Amino acid sequence: MPHRDAAAWPWVRARLLARRRQEIPATQPDAVVRTAVVTDSAAALPADWAAGLSGDGRLTVIPMPVMVGEEIYGEGEDDISETIALALASGISVKTSRPSPGQFEQAYAAAQRRGFEAVVSVHISGGLSGTADAARLAAGRVGIPVEVVDSGTVGMALGMAVQEAARVAGEGADAEAVAAAAAGQAGRTKVYFYVPSLEQLRRGGRIGAAASLWGTMLAIKPILGVDGGKIVPLEKVRSAVRAVARLEEIVAADASARTASADVRLAVHHFGNATEAEGLAERLAAALPQCPPAQISSLPAVLAAHAGLGVLAVIVGDNFAVHDAP
């Protein structure tokens, strides 16, 4: 057996433990669950994890509609990633919309029928979508109390907030505590990303016209983030290679600055460039050996429709799994 520095073992153990706990499938909670959690498909939740909680109504994911040309697709109901990729490559219009208030009303009423005391509904930033507004409209039409949380974020940053809400709900917490847990997790989670072209973001109104000019002048490649619930430019970089390298540096600095690297959780999103995302995750693992390996997933269709092909996004958040019971 090769020799290893004994001082490294605590870090190795922490990383393996965190990884193992991230992979534990959802199970029935020990406490009586009083609060159901509802979210939307922009949360990019791992399918297996979400399925483990949806059977008894503890979690409901409302699909967000995507329009490709004249056809409307529902995320989660249709496999539309290839359709969107082809449409974006060929210049066909791709648009998104919020779910209808009726969809939320049905979800909340179903939770009431199942005997839940309340619902916490956690959603994509109101600065990027009207989804939270639709949820609020529906909340006023049902007899069960509903707390709507505008996460102020997207992707697995929203997903991590939903997972924290579900964890706290699984401990028997009331709606106020569950909503606070979701909001707290969202507030501690950062989104950093790079896109080869800002055209889709500009067309969808997700980034200002002035900022979109960066992508067409002097081959500038901006690194973007989510701040105050909106997409904002963070840095201007001269080339795609340098942009990805700088993205890695920003993520590594954020993760390293947190209290303990083993308590940091990373997620990498991509669309149409899985190999590039895998390489990014590998380099982050080498730069942050104390962190659990990043979760890698394709962007949900509703986000890919705006980010476009070739996007690389990294989510940096708290790894609450390391605080679970051993």
Side-chain angles (χ1 to χ4, degrees):
M1 179 180 295
H3 173 73
R4 293 183 184 273
D5 184 352
W9 281 108
W11 292 114
V12 174
R13 181 180 181 277
R15 185 176 183 186
L16 291 175
L17 180 63
R19 182 175 186 177
R20 178 178 64 82
R21 285 174 173 159
Q22 283 189 11
E23 293 172 349
I24 293 174
T27 57
Q28 293 294 330
D30 294 331
V32 175
V33 181
R34 304 158 56 192
T35 306
V37 177
V38 174
T39 189
D40 54 74
S41 55
L45 291 167
D48 291 346
W49 182 88
L53 292 175
S54 61
D56 62 1
R58 282 185 284 151
L59 174 69
T60 301
V61 181
I62 304 296
M64 297 185 70
V66 179
M67 178 178 286
V68 180
E70 299 299 320
E71 297 292 327
I72 298 177
Y73 300 84
E75 185 154 31
E77 300 172 349
D78 307 282
D79 183 10
I80 59 173
S81 293
E82 185 175 351
T83 300
I84 291 177
L86 290 172
L88 291 172
S90 58
I92 297 173
S93 173
V94 180
K95 300 179 180 179
T96 64
S97 181
R98 71 180 190 181
S100 70
Q103 290 175 276
F104 290 109
E105 187 174 352
Q106 291 175 11
Y108 302 155
Q112 185 175 19
R113 289 194 300 271
R114 287 179 177 270
F116 291 99
E117 297 177 7
V119 175
V120 171
S121 208
V122 189
H123 297 293
I124 181 176
S125 170
L128 300 173
S129 170
T131 300
D133 289 336
R136 292 187 187 98
L137 286 172
R141 301 175 181 173
V142 295
I144 187 172
V146 179
E147 292 272 355
V148 177
V149 178
D150 178 347
S151 71
T153 193
V154 295
M156 263 306 292
L158 166 58
M160 290 180 189
V162 172
Q163 290 182 321
E164 177 69 349
R167 184 184 72 85
V168 174
E171 296 174 348
D174 62 14
E176 183 178 359
V178 173
Q185 180 75 20
R188 297 187 298 271
T189 306
K190 296 294 184 181
V191 179
Y192 306 103
F193 67 105
Y194 158 74
V195 290
S197 170
L198 293 174
E199 183 60 19
Q200 280 298 116
L201 288 170
R202 185 195 64 78
R203 286 181 179 177
R206 267 58 181 186
I207 195 167
S212 70
L213 291 176
W214 289 1
T216 58
M217 296 171 58
L218 304 176
I220 289 174
K221 302 295 183 181
I223 297 172
L224 308 169
V226 176
D227 186 33
K230 297 182 178 181
I231 295 173
V232 296
L234 297 179
E235 293 188 11
K236 293 176 281 186
V237 184
R238 292 291 183 179
S239 70
V241 172
R242 180 55 187 155
V244 175
R246 183 60 185 140
L247 176 64
E248 295 172 25
E249 293 171 355
I250 292 171
V251 169
D254 183 337
S256 298
R258 299 190 182 223
T259 304
S261 294
D263 291 350
V264 176
R265 184 179 178 192
L266 302 177
V268 174
H269 290 313
H270 61 86
F271 189 64
N273 53 333
T275 301
E276 192 175 8
E278 290 167 1
L280 172 59
E282 290 174 1
R283 293 190 298 274
L284 288 173
L288 299 165
Q290 298 91 349
C291 287
Q295 172 193 317
I296 306 173
S297 63
S298 179
L299 269 183
V302 68
L303 301 183
H306 294 290
L309 292 166
V311 58
L312 286 173
V314 183
I315 316 300
V316 185
D318 290 351
N319 183 18
F320 58 78
V322 301
H323 301 297
D324 290 345

